[in-house]
Amino acid sequence: MTAHTISVATIHTDAVIVGAGPVGLFQAFQLGLQDIRCHVIDALPHVGGQCMELYPDKPIYDIPGIPVCTGRELVAQLQTQIQPFAPTFHLNQEVAEVAHLQDGRISVRTSAGLHLECKVLVIAAGVGAFQARKLAVESAAELEGTHVHYRLSDASRFAGHDVVVMGGEESAVAAALKLTLDAQAPRSVTLMHRRDVFAAEPALLQAMRDAVASGKLQLQIGQPTALLHNAQQLHAVQVATPEGQTIERPAQHVLAFLGLSPKLGPVAEWGLVMERKQLVVNTETFATDVPGIFAVGDINTYPGKKKLILCGFHEATLAAFGAATLVHPTRKTLLQYTTTSTELHRLLGIA
Ligand code: FAD
């Protein structure tokens, strides 16, 4: 699934889903069964929400009919399940603005300049948009985007430079290794972490240790204490080592993978009724107080709410029935079984 970036023209569509976590993905399936096509937007560069961001390789035991699967496997299965409805994904961008238009449609704008107008908006924003934790040293904010980065998007910009990759998780290890293998490799790549313990898959860890042994990758244990720069040009990172020394590592670029933290952010600014940072919904259709706007999954609240994937799937099903009455007002919204309904088979592309 590809990320779409800047688009100038307004996209007109039946439905927009904010959030491509497990519930947002299943929402696309349930809307599809109601003959509603949708666009899905997520702040992350990939789908899967918390399952992919927080526990991709941990087992889940309470998905009905699946005795055990990892977060990654569940997301892969959901992606396969929604294929017949071909939702359009816009990743790597946050939904920044939502406005209710006079004609009843809803206007949605993203941080990448995308503008959509839809009949129905489903907010499946979980615990908020995941954002990179920022490097907490002086000047990091000033140098962000030029010398300090939180994503490895365009590796060619590092060609011939000294790069320090910070972090102890898989994303940091993978990025450091990728840079050493790049055709336009940096002059030097240093992986830096506060201790010599890294959380990554064994094969990746072995590849990292091999790269260190062969001298392609340098390992620096310690904490960054300063970014040394002249006139906005970074030249080194000052590091406090576990032995109590202060050293300098040459660096024109720092790539920091310090984890992600969810920020409720814009959802709270869309004028919807909230209770303790969650959207209040009715349990008949999971509609919010604004007509045409639904909320499903971890972002909503109602009496008895449980933040479980299974509960989010139920909510998405009823929200799709609610959405159908708005998108297809002249049609009867009947309950049909996927086992026997020829109409649902047609929608699913089953001969
Ligand atoms: P999320 O998974 O949080 O996805 C929301 C998505 O919306 C995110 O990708 C976010 O980037 C995006 N987003 C938010 N705001 C915006 C915006 N403004 N613009 C663009 N994108 C936005 N549940 C179970 O049922 N069983 C388990 O075994 C289980 N184990 C868990 C283990 C751990 C360690 C954790 C942390 C949770 C676990 N859960 C489990 C809970 C489960 O992961 C959540 O209930 C589920 O992820 C909620 O799905 P969601 O789609 O509502 O939200």
Side-chain angles (χ1 to χ4, degrees):
M1 288 170 189
T2 51
H4 297 235
T5 48
I6 294 188
S7 162
V8 217
T10 297
I11 296 170
H12 294 271
T13 177
D14 286 338
V16 169
I17 301 172
V18 182
V23 180
L25 292 176
F26 193 64
Q27 185 67 71
F29 179 75
Q30 285 296 337
L31 289 175
L33 288 183
Q34 298 293 342
D35 199 12
I36 298 172
R37 296 290 156 137
C38 65
H39 287 244
V40 186
I41 306 168
D42 203 297
L44 288 172
H46 52 76
V47 304
Q50 293 176 51
C51 293
M52 284 301 285
E53 214 41 65
L54 303 179
Y55 56 99
D57 300 309
K58 288 211 165 68
I60 310 175
Y61 298 98
D62 57 350
I63 303 298
I66 305 177
V68 59
C69 69
T70 63
R72 195 190 305 278
E73 286 164 350
L74 176 65
V75 171
Q77 293 284 35
L78 286 166
Q79 282 179 278
T80 305
Q81 192 171 26
I82 60 179
Q83 267 173 13
F85 304 121
T88 306
F89 284 87
H90 307 275
L91 303 177
N92 235 341
Q93 52 197 295
E94 205 177 85
V95 172
E97 280 174 42
V98 166
H100 204 249
L101 304 176
Q102 278 190 338
D103 64 1
R105 295 173 65 84
I106 297 148
S107 157
V108 175
R109 286 183 194 277
T110 76
S111 53
L114 197 71
H115 181 223
L116 303 100
E117 280 183 18
C118 54
K119 294 177 186 161
V120 160
L121 178 74
V122 184
I123 304 175
V127 281
F130 283 103
Q131 290 171 3
R133 278 206 185 91
K134 299 294 167 88
L135 185 58
V137 294
E138 217 181 309
S139 307
E142 277 170 57
L143 299 171
E144 186 174 333
T146 52
H147 297 273
V148 174
H149 316 271
Y150 295 98
R151 236 168 229 164
L152 181 56
S153 44
D154 175 17
S156 65
R157 71 188 304 175
F158 305 127
H161 293 288
D162 302 301
V163 181
V164 170
V165 181
M166 295 179 182
E169 301 285 319
E170 185 154 329
S171 49
V173 178
L177 263 179
K178 186 172 184 299
L179 283 174
T180 63
L181 299 171
D182 210 87
Q184 295 168 290
R187 179 165 48 212
S188 73
V189 183
T190 302
L191 177 62
M192 183 173 145
H193 186 41
R194 64 182 193 289
R195 54 196 190 119
D196 195 1
V197 177
F198 293 85
E201 297 216 325
L204 190 63
L205 281 180
Q206 190 54 54
M208 184 267 276
R209 297 288 175 194
D210 291 347
V212 172
S214 68
K216 284 187 185 151
L217 178 67
Q218 296 172 42
L219 196 57
Q220 176 66 59
I221 307 304
Q223 299 260 43
T225 47
L227 298 175
L228 307 178
H229 61 98
N230 296 326
Q232 305 297 315
Q233 295 293 321
L234 181 69
H235 58 87
V237 177
Q238 193 182 66
V239 186
T241 70
E243 297 77 31
Q245 288 176 312
T246 300
I247 58 160
E248 287 179 18
R249 271 272 168 195
Q252 292 79 54
H253 291 280
V254 167
L255 260 165
F257 294 93
L258 308 173
L260 296 167
S261 61
K263 297 243 160 38
L264 187 60
V267 176
E269 291 153 24
W270 299 338
L272 301 163
V273 171
M274 300 192 87
E275 228 176 69
R276 280 176 287 130
K277 297 189 177 175
Q278 273 126 17
L279 295 167
V280 175
V281 288
N282 75 52
T283 49
E284 197 177 330
T285 59
F286 295 91
T288 65
D289 62 308
V290 173
I293 304 187
F294 299 79
V296 293
D298 280 11
I299 191 72
N300 75 13
T301 185
Y302 53 87
K305 168 73 184 179
K306 299 283 176 283
K307 288 189 183 185
L308 286 171
I309 297 167
L310 157 74
C311 301
F313 287 172
H314 161 78
E315 295 160 15
T317 308
L318 296 198
F321 276 92
T325 63
L326 301 175
V327 177
H328 305 302
T330 56
R331 291 191 207 167
K332 268 195 176 163
T333 309
L334 300 169
L335 173 73
Q336 298 178 77
Y337 294 133
T338 54
T339 330
T340 49
S341 160
T342 48
E343 172 60 6
L344 293 186
H345 289 177
R346 183 186 69 76
L347 291 168
L348 284 162
I350 295 161

